[in-house]
Amino acid sequence: DEAPATADVVIVGGGIVGAATAFFAARAGLRVVVVEQRPRLATLTTPASTGAFRLQFDNPAEIALVREGVELFTAFAERTGLAGWDLRLRQGGYLFCATTEAGLDRARVLVERQRAWGLADVEVLDGDEARRRWPYLGPALLGARYRAGDGWLDPRRLAHGYAAAASEPTHIPDAAPHPPPAAFLVDTPVTRFIRDGDRVVGVETPRGVVHAPWVVVAAGPFTASVASLAGLRLDIRPTRRQKLVVPDLPDIPADAPMTIEDETSAHWRPAMRGCLALWTEHRTPPTPPAWDVPTEQAWAFGLIDPRSDHALARIAPFWRKVWERGFDAWYIQAGQYEYTPDRRPYLGPSPVEGLAINGGYSGHGIMASGGGSRMVVDRLVGRLSADDPPAAAFAVERPLVEVDPDIL
């Protein structure tokens, strides 16, 4: 009923990133308090995601960040001490499909760069080879890039696993000696930051004040608005992203990879006895952070109607038959990506003393939660400085270069 009076670090936000921060802080031997405004952990953007992860990025810093997380995911029960904890992880692969010669040229150039950065297991396939491996692909496909080690998991089980391990850190094999358990407070918003001069030294909540030398804001799309309570201005642009859920669709090949049309970004992957399908419309305007994000059925029809310019049937013709026949049940979920101008997260101490940020993941919070949260904690305890690579690429005060959404 009451918040602990003191801690070594207070984490604002109980989604997957806040829970991951708690895990790494507890492993470092810190006394941790997590405050979450909602009545349950990981109930806002975390369950709205597809739980996907990939190493096919266009820069080595993000490859390294996500690789660290994937290595944690694949050995999660061992690394957390949670025997038998099942993330429902599946390395089903990511298949980026090109339908134009320009798209295929981009794939070849990107794979060449990725291999130079140490990603040796990415393949470039011509259309015939791709159709041989995945017969559901249609004649519009000219070629593809593919990595078998990419995949997906259950994001809520990952978030709850981070929290469970932080709550019982004595089980973590490589934790500091006798680490104290983290405390998680739900239904607990932050009403203001406590200061000593210019330094943040804690938070005020309806359950009491918690004093701590560090406060980490990990509030997903609300990160900028929470940080503003401490006088910190962050450029984070919450942007709606929708997900089509088809629980039961026999047409979906159960062994299919994440299948993406590179030119339109429309994609789907197997889930349950059906699939999850998405379209990332890069020109969607940002909006204020929201607890309830609206959905639009017209957006879903853009994926499943073959007449659409980003229809799933463009590269997987069986979707045309699905449209003609119809299917019984589907629904839409929506959340918000927390975009930064350069599409990279803010990780570490901010210009406001005592305040750190773990946010702005721009849609990559699930896959980067492990590496990013470890980096934030290492900055707080002095294991890592802002000049150590790749920390400089994600520093809160780094120079920001605006990314054109059309070239993502």
Side-chain angles (χ1 to χ4, degrees):
D1 293 331
E2 294 184 3
T6 62
D8 295 318
V9 59
V10 175
I11 299 164
V12 183
I16 195 162
V17 173
T21 310
F23 166 72
F24 284 99
R27 190 170 73 167
L30 302 180
R31 293 177 301 132
V32 180
V33 173
V34 178
V35 292
E36 165 57 46
Q37 181 164 338
R38 292 166 72 87
R40 294 277 294 178
L41 299 179
T43 56
L44 184 61
T45 58
T46 300
S49 78
T50 64
F53 56 84
R54 59 181 167 89
L55 297 190
Q56 297 186 64
F57 283 94
D58 63 357
N59 65 90
E62 284 186 285
I63 290 175
L65 193 72
V66 176
R67 186 193 293 276
E68 181 177 342
V70 174
E71 290 172 352
L72 171 60
F73 305 157
T74 54
F76 193 77
E78 176 186 354
R79 295 275 300 275
T80 59
L82 301 174
W85 195 275
D86 182 12
L87 297 181
R88 298 171 185 159
L89 182 144
R90 177 176 169 187
Q91 289 176 288
Y94 254 67
L95 181 70
F96 288 90
C97 300
T99 57
T100 66
E101 290 293 347
L104 190 54
D105 288 342
R106 286 195 300 269
R108 294 189 182 107
V109 170
L110 181 56
V111 168
E112 183 178 352
R113 292 176 180 172
Q114 289 170 342
R115 288 173 177 167
W117 297 327
L119 200 62
D121 54 352
V122 184
E123 304 176 72
V124 176
L125 310 173
D126 63 28
D128 290 339
E129 174 61 16
R131 280 182 286 271
R132 185 189 68 79
R133 296 196 198 182
W134 301 283
Y136 64 83
L137 296 171
L141 178 71
L142 299 183
R145 54 185 169 96
Y146 173 68
R147 181 174 182 271
D150 297 335
W152 51 87
L153 47 70
D154 184 321
R156 288 191 67 183
R157 290 191 66 80
L158 176 60
H160 293 166
Y162 282 138
S167 300
E168 298 288 345
T170 54
H171 298 317
I172 302 174
D174 53 353
H178 311 297
F184 289 82
L185 306 179
V186 295
D187 287 318
T188 308
V190 168
T191 53
R192 71 181 180 95
F193 288 95
I194 307 301
R195 290 181 177 271
D196 182 2
D198 291 334
R199 184 178 182 90
V200 168
V201 294
V203 298
E204 180 184 80
T205 79
R207 298 179 188 272
V209 171
V210 187
H211 287 90
W214 281 106
V215 176
V216 178
V217 180
F222 287 87
T223 294
S225 58
V226 172
S228 70
L229 297 176
L232 176 64
R233 184 173 180 178
L234 291 175
D235 193 345
I236 293 179
R237 308 165 189 182
T239 305
R240 181 178 67 168
R241 290 290 177 250
Q242 300 181 77
K243 178 180 73 177
L244 175 64
V245 182
V246 187
D248 193 355
L249 189 62
D251 307 72
I252 298 295
D255 59 350
M258 176 76 81
T259 302
I260 308 134
E261 183 181 359
D262 217 9
E263 283 79 6
T264 67
S265 78
H267 55 290
W268 57 272
R269 71 157 175 92
M272 298 164 284
R273 293 182 299 179
C275 73
L276 308 178
L278 301 93
W279 175 52
T280 305
E281 202 289 296
H282 296 304
R283 290 297 177 180
T284 302
T287 54
W291 297 117
D292 296 296
V293 183
T295 62
E296 292 183 1
Q297 292 198 6
W299 172 88
F301 287 124
L303 283 171
I304 58 180
D305 185 343
R307 296 170 294 182
S308 168
D309 63 2
H310 56 277
L312 299 175
R314 286 164 53 93
I315 57 172
F318 73 81
W319 280 101
R320 184 177 298 274
K321 296 179 180 178
V322 170
W323 172 258
E324 293 169 353
R325 184 188 70 240
F327 48 97
D328 293 334
W330 55 272
Y331 60 92
I332 309 169
Q333 287 182 294
Q336 290 176 306
Y337 281 6
E338 27 169 332
Y339 280 121
T340 64
D342 61 4
R343 301 301 195 261
R344 296 182 182 184
Y346 300 121
L347 305 177
S350 79
V352 176
E353 289 186 81
L355 188 73
I357 306 298
N358 191 2
Y361 280 89
S362 304
H364 303 146
I366 304 296
M367 63 183 85
S369 61
S373 300
R374 189 274 310 163
M375 187 178 296
V376 170
V377 172
D378 280 359
R379 291 288 309 277
L380 301 190
V381 300
R383 295 174 182 162
L384 187 69
S385 76
D387 298 326
D388 294 329
F394 306 110
V396 177
E397 295 185 274
R398 68 184 181 273
L400 294 173
V401 178
E402 194 86 21
V403 173
D404 184 351
D406 286 338
I407 64 172
L408 289 178

